[in-house]
């Protein structure tokens, strides 16, 4: 209570609207973080935002090796690869990617936040000229060792020269970025005029609101922004983009091995409802430039 008495109204780092204290959450070491909610665009954000150097340090060492409630257990394992590709294929089906892809003459992909490059490998196998970029050196090196076309660099500082991409993907990474707008603006710079951006992030839907501080994606300090369709539309508009497709998935029932028939049944129904009502834990959007509103 003493802590809450010291917090104050803030400014939304996304839209400049009024932000107010919404939740508090402790990290594994017991340090308390404030999560504010914007009364205008509805985004939730850490307050104050951590610096880029603080976050870079966090991702350089143990993040991808230690699952606990932060990072992934051995991200380069075959099991994780299969899991990542399975989710990716479902997302691509819901984005109608496979029919869009058929009409493309050039297939150049950039994945921003590629980790070990599982998705980069998936697209390369489909004949795409694929490139991934990430600052997590250990992961990038692991991917490079198995032949994946990956760069270890800061996306905001890297010069792609005159390259343009038909598709730029950004899977489950936006929530980690203190300067999400700068990332999206830079993606626009390297996007072909009729290109697409696919982006996924955690969604402050029904489960986030119901579970509060116990919500499974409320990871501090790694996740600095928590979006929904409204706040993503605000972000997109600020970068000259528009959402042309969106859906959500994840009903809170996690994928487990050897579960009961009843659990699988509840998960199936829950997942369908989350998808239909945009209330799931994750949201996926397809974006295109507003300056080039070509029909699909
Ligand atoms: Zn806002």
């Amino acid at each position: 209570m003493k802590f809450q008495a010291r917090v104050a109204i803030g400014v939304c780092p996304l839209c400049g609207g009024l932000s107010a204290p919404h939740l508090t959450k402790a990290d594994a070491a017991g340090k308390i973080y404030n999560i504010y909610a914007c009364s205008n665009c509805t985004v939730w954000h850490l307050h104050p935002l951590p610096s880029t150097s603080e976050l870079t340090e966090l991702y350089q060492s143990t993040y991808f090796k230690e699952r606990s409630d932060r990072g992934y257990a051995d991200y380069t394992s075959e099991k994780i690869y299969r899991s990542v590709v399975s989710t990716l294929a479902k997302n691509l089906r819901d984005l109608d990617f496979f029919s869009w892809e058929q009409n493309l003459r050039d297939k150049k992909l950039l994945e921003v936040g590629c980790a070990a490059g599982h998705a980069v490998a998936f697209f390369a196998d489909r004949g795409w000229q694929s490139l991934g970029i990430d600052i997590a050196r250990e992961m990038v090196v692991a991917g490079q060792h198995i032949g994946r076309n990956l760069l270890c660099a800061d996306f905001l500082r890297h010069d792609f020269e005159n390259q343009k991409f038909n598709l730029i993907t950004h899977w489950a990474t936006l929530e980690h970025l203190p300067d999400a707008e700068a990332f999206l603006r830079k993606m626009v710079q390297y996007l072909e005029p009729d290109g697409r951006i696919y982006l996924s992030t955690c969604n402050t839907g029904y489960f986030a609101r119901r579970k509060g501080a116990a919500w499974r994606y409320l990871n501090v300090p790694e996740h600095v922004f928590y979006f929904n369709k409204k706040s993503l539309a605000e972000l997109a508009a600020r970068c000259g983009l528009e959402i042309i497709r969106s859906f959500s998935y994840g009903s809170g029932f996690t994928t487990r091995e050897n579960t009961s028939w009843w659990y699988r049944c509840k998960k199936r129904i829950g997942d369908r409802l989350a998808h239909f009502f945009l209330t799931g834990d994750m949201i996926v959007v397809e974006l295109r430039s507003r300056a080039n509103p070509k029909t699909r």
Side-chain angles (χ1 to χ4, degrees):
M1 294 310 276
K2 215 171 151 189
F3 175 79
Q4 287 190 351
R6 290 204 303 270
V7 296
I9 297 297
V11 174
C12 171
L14 176 57
C15 76
L18 211 58
S19 268
H22 182 60
L23 292 166
T24 58
K25 175 95 188 253
D27 69 7
K31 184 178 175 188
I32 304 281
Y33 291 87
N34 300 310
I35 291 126
Y36 276 34
C38 175
S39 59
N40 180 43
C41 75
T42 71
V43 79
W44 298 359
H45 61 90
L46 276 192
H47 181 83
L49 290 178
S51 69
T52 305
S53 61
E54 282 169 336
L55 288 172
T56 304
E57 193 180 326
L58 182 67
Y59 296 126
Q60 287 309 322
S61 52
T62 56
Y63 180 73
F64 286 99
K65 280 194 170 171
E66 295 174 5
R67 178 61 174 127
S68 59
D69 65 345
R70 44 189 284 176
Y72 300 94
D74 193 8
Y75 193 78
T76 50
S77 72
E78 180 65 22
K79 189 176 174 186
I80 297 286
Y81 172 76
R82 284 201 306 271
S83 167
V84 168
V85 165
S86 164
T87 303
L88 174 65
K90 281 182 203 160
N91 284 342
L92 292 177
R93 184 197 61 205
D94 289 335
L95 285 161
D96 204 21
F97 162 81
F98 297 105
S99 52
W100 176 71
E101 178 194 41
Q102 285 177 357
N103 299 319
L104 287 178
R105 202 177 49 188
D106 299 314
K107 295 177 182 174
K108 288 187 74 179
L109 168 98
L110 175 66
E111 168 136 333
V112 180
C114 63
H118 294 326
V120 169
F122 175 91
F123 283 98
D125 287 347
R126 298 185 62 82
W128 283 70
Q129 196 179 327
S130 306
L131 171 66
I133 183 167
D134 203 303
I135 55 167
R137 178 166 301 282
E138 210 175 324
M139 285 298 93
V140 168
V141 169
Q144 287 169 335
H145 277 162
I146 49 176
R148 293 170 180 173
N149 187 24
L150 311 179
L151 272 174
C152 182
D154 179 347
F155 175 65
L156 290 181
R157 294 184 180 185
H158 188 74
D159 183 2
F160 293 90
E161 297 175 346
N162 55 359
Q163 289 192 83
K164 294 271 184 183
F165 299 91
N166 306 91
L167 178 61
I168 299 179
T169 58
H170 197 52
W171 305 112
T173 303
L174 196 72
E175 62 272 20
H176 294 259
L177 307 175
D179 200 350
E181 186 175 328
F183 269 72
L184 230 56
R185 284 186 185 278
K186 181 140 182 182
M187 288 180 210
V188 172
Q189 189 185 335
Y190 291 104
L191 189 67
E192 285 283 5
D194 58 350
R196 296 286 188 268
I197 296 172
Y198 292 163
L199 187 156
S200 73
T201 186
C202 41
N203 178 39
T204 55
Y206 171 77
F207 301 101
R209 293 193 300 273
R210 183 163 169 240
K211 299 225 167 186
W215 182 42
R216 60 175 169 160
Y217 289 128
L218 205 72
N219 294 340
V220 291
E222 291 91 346
H223 292 180
V224 295
F225 276 110
Y226 299 84
F227 292 94
N228 57 21
K229 189 176 177 184
K230 182 174 178 178
S231 47
L232 282 174
E234 169 75 27
L235 173 64
R238 298 176 85 82
C239 302
L241 292 161
E242 63 182 345
I243 295 175
I244 52 175
R245 190 188 300 266
S246 64
F247 62 90
S248 81
Y249 68 92
S251 58
F253 293 101
T254 52
T255 303
R256 299 177 196 160
E257 290 168 14
N258 306 318
T259 53
S260 67
W261 169 86
W262 177 233
Y263 183 87
R264 291 199 303 276
C265 184
K266 285 191 294 185
K267 175 169 166 49
R268 198 180 178 94
I269 293 168
D271 285 350
R272 292 257 169 111
L273 289 173
H275 191 282
F276 187 77
F277 290 110
L278 210 71
T279 55
D281 275 342
M282 294 291 294
I283 183 167
V284 182
V285 294
E286 177 178 12
L287 303 158
R288 71 177 170 198
S289 171
R290 294 182 106 162
N292 299 282
K294 284 192 175 178
T295 51
R296 290 173 62 84

